[in-house]
Amino acid sequence: VKYKLWLQQAKYDQPDASPYARQKFTVQIFNPQGETVFEEVRETDDYGGIEGTWPLPKGAMLGSYQLLI
């Protein structure tokens, strides 16, 4: 599973600089039962973006997973 997201505050009259640029955040993925199945610390890029991958294990539970920062 690949994920990519940007952390930003909506300020349309401000420059594109992100207050979250080059900061570290913990990325967590939870299965449908609310159990943590993935956790790692990632650093945002110059625009507040984070991307990464999580290898989906064989026999993974069906349902909706949550990704939290």
Side-chain angles (χ1 to χ4, degrees):
V1 176
K2 293 182 181 182
Y3 61 87
K4 188 169 191 173
L5 55 104
W6 288 266
L7 303 170
Q8 186 60 279
Q9 295 175 341
K11 293 183 179 179
Y12 301 107
D13 59 341
Q14 301 293 318
D16 286 338
S18 173
Y20 305 107
R22 298 292 169 201
Q23 293 187 34
K24 292 185 180 184
F25 292 90
T26 302
V27 177
Q28 296 176 302
I29 298 178
F30 297 89
N31 69 15
Q33 293 182 334
E35 301 166 332
T36 303
V37 293
F38 176 80
E39 184 173 325
E40 76 176 353
V41 176
R42 305 287 300 191
E43 183 175 334
T44 57
D45 61 19
D46 291 336
Y47 300 98
I50 295 177
E51 63 180 305
T53 59
W54 171 56
L56 188 65
K58 285 190 176 230
M61 186 181 305
L62 296 177
S64 296
Y65 285 70
Q66 295 181 11
L67 186 146
L68 298 178
I69 303 297

